[in-house]
Amino acid sequence: MKFRTHTGWRAGAVAGALVCGMLTGPPAAVSADDVGILACGDRTFNAEAVLSGSTWTSRNGGRTVYTGGDMRAAVQAAIGSLTAGRTSKQWVVVRGSGSISAGSRISLPSFTGIDVCGTINVTGSGSGDQAPIYSRGTRDVEVRYLNLTGTPLYGIFMRNVENVILGQIDMRLSAGLGVRIDNRGDTSVKSRNIRIDSVFVSGSSTHAVETYGVDGITIGTVTARNVGHSGLLLNETINATVGTVDAENAGAGTGYAAFRVANRNGRIGTSYPTNIRVGTVRARGGGRGIFCVSESGGLIIDRIDVANTGNNAILIENCYNITIAGATGTVSGGGEIRLAARTEFPNNRDIFIQNLTVTNSTIRESPCGTNTVFRNITLNNSTMNVCS
């Protein structure tokens, strides 16, 4: 098996990912820094926050910078003890599990890396952009390991950031949004150079992973289970590479999808060159399987495996330069494959639906788009009503 690293492809083999004491499932991408160092906290750190009994103690070298019962304060104190004005990454390790309020944050400044070797449980409620892992207006931030439970507003929230790495992220939630990375603080500058290796999210009330205003993102795997909205949602994002989106029961009863692109996603200047590349989308149940909307495009999905969605298996609405599937795909049961358009946006253009086996479903195009191509479609107990 090969793992994609920050510097390219590196060979390796892992039977499963044992992360901070939690078996998170199948193997996922491994950071270049992590090759040969698979255990949480198993590296050199500059500061640490350690739980013993009910007391947290934070240290930096021989200095104790916090002692008490507050996990958030302990972790923030360890972060605050790192060298001021640093221009290279320094690291904090958290050893232990505890709770923090949904109305609070652990804030990561620039040039900070963190391993959370334990579980953060988020309790209560809050408002705004609070998150147990938060960073804004920063660069060179890395979260190698994080296990999260509870009711966060956001599990990870990052705004107007650059050079961010999220490693092995596991969120088993009962509310909130899993990971959001955006540029809404200053929309004139996109968040840039983002890497997400592996994210598992269950039980969020909205999306598992969402971007808005990002230029340059590489995602290994997003696994979504029983999330309220989308598994992966890309808004106004360009130059994205995604390995796998694997969603079960994402957005049940809604118009959201296992994988959704929206709000001029993939638009560079005034055109839609292919710049959003996805390896595999797997969807079971939930709302839609794949949804492109609101003048988005520049997308190719190589492989799709969509079954028994409650809404459209695939919906393409006012989108441009879309290829589904580049290699192979299956759609079984659930809602129809639909090409549609709203009147407020230009109609679909340059849509390629191909290499699909469709079972117990329908393919329908209305209204007719420009340069819509259907080829190599196998229909099993299915119908096709299209313009070309």
Side-chain angles (χ1 to χ4, degrees):
M1 182 175 293
K2 291 183 178 180
F3 295 117
R4 190 164 191 174
T5 71
H6 197 44
T7 55
W9 288 96
R10 184 182 296 259
V14 182
L18 182 62
V19 177
C20 300
M22 177 179 293
L23 184 65
T24 61
V30 176
S31 162
D33 295 337
D34 300 339
V35 174
I37 309 176
L38 298 180
C40 185
D42 190 12
R43 60 161 295 151
T44 301
F45 289 88
N46 304 91
E48 62 179 358
V50 179
L51 179 65
S52 178
S54 60
T55 300
W56 286 92
T57 302
S58 302
R59 302 181 185 88
N60 186 321
R63 292 186 295 133
T64 298
V65 295
Y66 176 86
T67 301
D70 187 329
M71 182 185 195
R72 192 214 67 82
V75 177
Q76 199 67 64
I79 294 167
S81 75
L82 301 176
T83 303
R86 59 191 174 277
T87 55
S88 61
K89 202 176 292 179
Q90 293 187 357
W91 284 85
V92 169
V93 59
V94 181
R95 303 187 191 277
S97 300
S99 296
I100 72 171
S101 167
S104 65
R105 301 174 179 145
I106 294 170
S107 293
L108 303 181
S110 294
F111 300 102
T112 300
I114 190 169
D115 275 12
V116 179
C117 303
T119 299
I120 298 176
N121 182 49
V122 182
T123 62
S125 61
S127 61
D129 56 5
Q130 305 288 2
I133 298 295
Y134 176 92
S135 198
R136 180 169 178 170
T138 59
R139 58 172 298 155
D140 294 272
V141 170
E142 184 166 355
V143 183
R144 280 208 321 161
Y145 294 103
L146 174 68
N147 294 324
L148 192 68
T149 59
T151 58
L153 292 163
Y154 302 88
I156 295 175
F157 184 96
M158 295 189 172
R159 173 162 284 175
N160 289 101
V161 291
E162 183 176 356
N163 301 339
V164 167
I165 299 173
L166 304 182
Q168 307 300 311
I169 310 300
D170 190 299
M171 300 185 182
R172 311 207 178 215
L173 309 178
S174 51
L177 190 155
V179 177
R180 176 166 170 122
I181 300 174
D182 70 29
N183 72 335
R184 299 296 93 180
D186 179 1
T187 57
S188 69
V189 180
K190 282 183 164 57
S191 287
R192 298 180 185 274
N193 193 23
I194 312 298
R195 197 183 90 218
I196 301 174
D197 290 343
S198 177
V199 176
F200 175 95
V201 180
S202 66
S204 65
S205 53
T206 60
H207 313 295
V209 177
E210 180 185 19
T211 70
Y212 210 128
V214 171
D215 180 359
I217 183 168
T218 299
I219 299 173
T221 301
V222 174
T223 304
R225 297 291 185 265
N226 303 308
V227 299
H229 291 163
S230 293
L232 174 61
L233 169 56
L234 305 179
N235 297 292
E236 202 180 282
T237 291
I238 58 175
N239 299 319
T241 301
V242 180
T244 299
V245 180
D246 180 354
E248 295 181 4
N249 199 38
T254 77
Y256 287 103
F259 175 62
R260 183 185 190 207
V261 290
N263 297 304
R264 291 187 168 177
N265 197 78
R267 176 167 167 153
I268 298 177
T270 59
S271 64
Y272 294 85
T274 300
N275 67 101
I276 311 296
R277 296 175 173 85
V278 181
T280 300
V281 174
R282 175 184 178 272
R284 291 291 182 274
R288 293 183 168 117
I290 297 165
F291 187 14
C292 178
V293 68
S294 55
E295 296 186 297
S296 297
L299 166 68
I300 181 169
I301 304 174
D302 286 332
R303 294 167 298 277
I304 71 166
D305 178 5
V306 177
N308 301 321
T309 54
N311 210 315
N312 304 95
I314 301 170
L315 176 59
I316 298 174
E317 187 175 80
N318 306 102
C319 290
Y320 322 106
N321 186 23
I322 304 290
T323 298
I324 301 173
T328 185
T330 60
V331 171
S332 180
E336 66 183 359
I337 299 170
R338 176 82 161 96
L339 277 64
R342 302 181 188 181
T343 58
E344 64 262 41
F345 300 124
N347 200 352
N348 291 323
R349 183 181 67 251
D350 303 324
I351 309 299
F352 301 88
I353 306 297
Q354 60 188 33
N355 306 325
L356 288 185
T357 298
V358 181
T359 302
N360 299 325
S361 190
T362 300
I363 302 175
R364 183 162 62 99
E365 180 186 14
S366 178
C368 297
T370 300
N371 191 31
T372 303
V373 177
F374 297 87
R375 59 192 171 203
N376 194 23
I377 308 296
T378 300
L379 300 175
N380 295 325
N381 193 34
S382 300
T383 61
M384 188 160 73
N385 182 8
V386 300
C387 303
S388 60

